[in-house]
Amino acid sequence: MIAELTIKNFAIIESLSISFEKGLTVLTGETGAGKSIIIDAIHLLAGGRGSHEFVRFGEKRAELEGLFLLEDESHPCYRVCKELGIDIEDEMVVLRREIHATGKSVCRVNGKLVTIALLREVGQTLVDIHGQHEHQELMDPDLHLALLDQFGGKAVQKELLAYSEIYKEYKDVEKRLLHLTENEQKVAHRLDLLQFQAEEINNAQLTIDEDEELFEERTKISNYERLYQSLNNCYYAMHGEQKALDWIGQAMSEAEGLEEIDKNLKDVFDTISNSYYQLEELSYRLRDEIDQLEFDPKRLDFIESRLNEIKQLKRKYGSSVEEILEYASKIEEELETLQNRDSHIHQLQESLQSLKEDLALEAKALTEARMKAAAKLTKSIHKELKDLYLEKAIFDVHFEVRKEKGQDGFLFQKNGVDMVEFYLTTNPGEPLKPMAKVASGGELSRIMLALKSIFSKHQGITSIIFDEVDTGVSGRVAQSIAEKIYQVSVDSQVLCISHLPQVAAMSDTHLFISKDVKGERTKTKVNVLGEEEKIREIGRMISGVEITSLTKEHAKELLELAGSMKQA
């Protein structure tokens, strides 16, 4: 749910901070007070298209920030943020957007800078905004299949997963087969290239870590004089008359009898003698190192040449000797495939045919699962439409199967072979047609609410916003819309701008939006209405400006009726 919204210098809003609660929050107020501006702010915060015109006159930038609380770790926002490398801590997501007067936008998710496109990816998992006139996702046929799959739940997802696993293998085999059946000239060029690369790498006779060993040897030879001088100085500092070992040997002789005088001094002799023998052994090693040292300019030239050869191979085939050898192994496999092309083509064709048959079976099972879900969906939506006094409306999920062009076989896609579109007729005797082409303006709000009542339980959206979707209705239809909006708010937080007193009466939280003119500037204010204030506002919505005692009684009656319906 959206818990907090902060707006600065946005349209007529100078500075505004709003806290939202769970359930149904209704926003009311006079036309032009700024209700839709608040919804516009949330829309932009969720990645909607912005413009410098939203920046308050005379200011350099508008600032929008929203705090969203995620109570379920399976919420789709977790998956999207993980893919984008954004951490979610304490089940909170903070969206922030700055719109500059120059037109530039700066977007952040939990403090991380993101593009508007990435902000939209996160935002669409958190907010679902439904306006009076815009095209809704529920009316978009391209999204109907995904909506049906969401409604179908585990039964459909199980079949879709089984299909997807085979489809992935099918596409991999299809890609390999296409690669092998390319034109002869292209294959010949590829074969020549691979043979050249394999020969170049094999002729180099590389060994693992060879370059590192050569680097060490080059360093040793290049610093021969310094190394020889230092080893000699170390050796002669320890070995010889009046040198380190001579003095330590004398100290050892002096300490040898100390134990007989004082037992506590036994460790003195032991320590000196151990040090003497260790240094003596080290001096022998230094002498051997000096004897083995030699400066070989030809060896240095060979190392330089070899390192240069390895460097050239790295530039072409990998950043290390190990990667070069891995690449060589990979192209050897491809060479073998290309050299025995006909045999491999035959094997892949047989494998592809077998996978096609398996895919067809899985696609059929997936279609059957979807049709069962479609039957349940149709029944549920008919019930919702009846509640909204559209009892004569008929809803149907229209199925078509994708076919390969000019053939009888299926055209396999990532999500199956089904094309799904929601069909509807609202008038008896009229044929079913695509839903977006049938519904009139007055019916569209009710149809959308019926669909949203069903799908809100399956989409996992944190907050659903209705922007004057109840325009143009009244009476019993208005009451039914109010009840449906409340039903949606049971499973998702709902923010609703409304001019209907029936909707306002159903609210869990009622926000009154007003504007105040000070000097020559207009400011928007938001007040949370208490019980008495709520009665007055609903009374105003019923009768207009003048509020009578009878209007108040009517408002109280509406609130009592709404309370009874909520309990029921």
Side-chain angles (χ1 to χ4, degrees):
M1 58 172 277
I2 181 170
E4 192 84 23
L5 176 66
T6 301
I7 305 171
K8 290 184 179 179
N9 300 323
F10 185 75
I12 63 171
I13 298 176
E14 180 182 29
S15 181
L16 192 63
S17 184
I18 312 172
S19 296
F20 296 101
E21 303 296 333
K22 291 182 179 181
L24 174 58
T25 297
V26 173
L27 292 77
T28 66
E30 294 288 354
T31 301
K35 301 185 295 298
S36 291
I37 293 174
I38 293 171
I39 303 304
D40 287 340
I42 297 174
H43 177 64
L44 265 65
L45 194 58
R49 289 185 179 181
S51 167
H52 65 89
E53 294 176 358
F54 282 111
V55 180
R56 183 174 166 86
F57 179 73
E59 301 294 339
K60 292 182 178 180
R61 68 175 182 268
E63 299 176 23
L64 309 172
E65 189 170 71
L67 169 63
F68 294 83
L69 304 181
L70 306 177
E71 298 178 354
D72 186 357
E73 291 188 0
S74 64
H75 193 282
C77 187
Y78 279 95
R79 175 185 56 78
V80 173
C81 285
K82 185 178 180 181
E83 291 173 358
L84 300 178
I86 298 170
D87 296 327
I88 296 179
E89 296 181 359
D90 300 324
E91 300 177 334
M92 293 190 297
V93 174
V94 177
L95 305 185
R96 180 176 175 82
R97 184 170 179 180
E98 296 176 3
I99 302 173
H100 292 251
T102 58
K104 182 181 72 172
S105 277
V106 179
C107 310
R108 289 181 174 84
V109 178
N110 279 359
K112 181 175 180 177
L113 279 169
V114 295
T115 63
I116 293 176
L118 296 182
L119 178 68
R120 189 179 302 116
E121 280 191 45
V122 177
Q124 67 187 8
T125 68
L126 299 171
V127 180
D128 186 9
I129 300 177
H130 295 270
Q132 182 184 354
H133 303 295
E134 66 187 270
H135 294 289
Q136 312 300 335
E137 69 162 13
L138 295 177
M139 310 298 282
D140 184 352
D142 292 336
L143 300 175
H144 289 176
L145 181 62
L147 290 169
L148 177 62
D149 287 350
Q150 287 174 355
F151 178 81
K154 292 181 179 178
V156 173
Q157 293 303 320
K158 178 184 175 184
E159 298 297 342
L160 183 58
L161 179 62
Y163 172 89
S164 298
E165 289 175 351
I166 298 177
Y167 178 78
K168 184 179 179 182
E169 187 179 354
Y170 169 81
K171 294 302 289 184
D172 180 56
V173 172
E174 187 181 55
K175 182 180 178 182
R176 286 157 56 196
L177 182 60
L178 181 64
H179 179 68
L180 280 178
T181 53
E182 290 174 327
N183 66 69
E184 293 287 341
Q185 186 180 22
K186 199 171 182 179
V187 171
H189 286 167
R190 180 66 178 168
L191 193 58
D192 286 345
L193 175 64
L194 294 178
Q195 286 172 335
F196 170 79
Q197 291 179 340
E199 185 177 351
E200 185 178 31
I201 295 172
N202 290 335
N203 288 343
Q205 296 183 329
L206 298 171
T207 57
I208 299 294
D209 297 330
E210 179 184 358
D211 53 342
E212 293 180 8
E213 293 170 4
L214 289 172
F215 275 122
E216 290 179 9
E217 189 177 355
R218 183 179 68 175
T219 302
K220 185 176 177 181
I221 296 175
S222 300
N223 293 277
Y224 169 81
E225 290 186 6
R226 179 184 170 190
L227 185 61
Y228 181 82
Q229 189 67 39
S230 296
L231 288 173
N232 262 310
N233 290 342
C234 285
Y235 178 76
Y236 286 113
M238 287 191 290
H239 219 281
E241 191 174 337
Q242 298 296 310
K243 298 297 174 82
L245 283 173
D246 196 21
W247 284 104
I248 295 173
Q250 186 178 338
M252 184 172 62
S253 298
E254 293 293 335
E256 189 172 8
L258 291 177
E259 181 186 3
E260 298 174 1
I261 301 170
D262 188 345
K263 291 182 179 180
N264 292 328
L265 298 176
K266 181 179 182 303
D267 64 313
V268 174
F269 173 76
D270 292 341
T271 301
I272 295 173
S273 61
N274 286 337
S275 299
Y276 177 83
Y277 293 120
Q278 285 177 358
L279 288 172
E280 187 179 46
E281 185 177 345
L282 181 61
S283 71
Y284 295 150
R285 181 185 167 191
L286 290 172
R287 184 186 62 197
D288 292 340
E289 290 284 349
I290 293 168
D291 292 341
Q292 292 173 14
L293 271 181
E294 63 174 326
F295 178 72
D296 185 352
K298 289 184 178 179
R299 177 62 181 172
L300 185 60
D301 290 341
F302 169 78
I303 291 172
E304 293 288 0
S305 175
R306 183 63 171 168
L307 285 174
N308 186 60
E309 182 183 7
I310 294 173
K311 181 181 178 182
Q312 295 302 318
L313 291 172
K314 283 181 179 180
R315 187 173 60 83
K316 295 179 182 179
Y317 307 120
S319 60
S320 66
V321 172
E322 187 174 2
E323 285 186 14
I324 295 170
L325 294 174
E326 286 176 1
Y327 179 78
S329 176
K330 181 181 176 182
I331 64 174
E332 285 289 349
E333 291 178 11
E334 190 176 350
L335 267 172
E336 191 278 329
T337 301
L338 291 177
Q339 288 166 344
N340 299 281
R341 182 165 162 251
D342 292 340
S343 172
H344 282 284
I345 287 174
H346 180 69
Q347 290 176 5
L348 288 173
Q349 285 174 336
E350 288 185 342
S351 178
L352 194 67
Q353 184 57 38
S354 176
L355 286 168
K356 270 188 175 182
E357 293 170 2
D358 291 343
L359 260 185
L361 291 173
E362 292 297 340
K364 184 179 178 182
L366 177 57
T367 299
E368 289 174 355
R370 282 171 171 162
M371 284 184 167
K372 288 180 181 177
K376 292 180 181 178
L377 175 62
T378 300
K379 185 177 179 181
S380 298
I381 288 179
H382 279 154
K383 181 181 181 303
E384 296 292 333
L385 291 172
K386 185 178 179 181
D387 292 344
L388 289 163
Y389 299 100
L390 286 170
E391 59 275 355
K392 294 180 180 179
I394 300 174
F395 173 88
D396 185 51
V397 181
H398 180 74
F399 278 83
E400 282 188 29
V401 175
R402 295 187 184 94
K403 296 280 188 178
E404 288 185 309
K405 192 173 182 181
Q407 300 181 32
D408 294 331
F410 291 128
L411 177 60
F412 298 111
Q413 298 289 336
K414 185 178 180 180
N415 55 4
V417 298
D418 303 314
M419 292 187 292
V420 166
E421 185 170 1
F422 298 157
Y423 273 47
L424 184 78
T425 179
T426 56
N427 298 308
E430 291 295 318
L432 286 161
K433 292 181 182 179
M435 189 169 63
K437 298 178 181 179
V438 174
S440 66
E443 295 167 334
L444 189 60
S445 298
R446 284 182 281 167
I447 292 166
M448 185 274 296
L449 272 176
L451 294 171
K452 183 52 68 177
S453 297
I454 300 295
F455 289 119
S456 63
K457 301 174 184 177
H458 303 274
Q459 288 179 291
I461 301 295
T462 300
S463 302
I464 299 171
I465 298 173
F466 295 120
D467 186 2
E468 299 188 15
V469 297
D470 50 21
T471 300
V473 296
S474 60
R476 63 177 190 171
V477 175
Q479 183 59 44
S480 67
I481 284 179
E483 292 171 18
K484 285 300 170 193
I485 290 175
Y486 179 76
Q487 285 177 18
V488 174
S489 74
V490 172
D491 296 297
S492 301
Q493 180 196 44
V494 171
L495 310 181
C496 180
I497 292 179
S498 179
H499 294 288
L500 288 179
Q502 293 93 332
V503 174
M506 293 295 290
S507 67
D508 298 309
T509 305
H510 192 147
L511 301 180
F512 180 69
I513 317 298
S514 60
K515 60 182 178 181
D516 186 22
V517 179
K518 287 188 177 180
E520 297 181 354
R521 298 307 300 268
T522 302
K523 295 182 180 180
T524 295
K525 297 191 299 182
V526 178
N527 292 316
V528 181
L529 301 186
E531 193 65 27
E532 285 300 317
E533 294 169 315
K534 195 171 181 178
I535 291 170
R536 286 186 60 82
E537 173 59 10
I538 292 174
R540 182 194 67 78
M541 296 172 75
I542 293 170
S543 64
V545 178
E546 188 176 346
I547 302 172
T548 65
S549 57
L550 184 61
T551 306
K552 286 185 178 181
E553 288 299 320
H554 190 184
K556 287 181 182 179
E557 187 179 354
L558 266 181
L559 285 168
E560 289 171 2
L561 179 63
S564 301
M565 288 178 178
K566 288 181 183 181
Q567 290 178 357

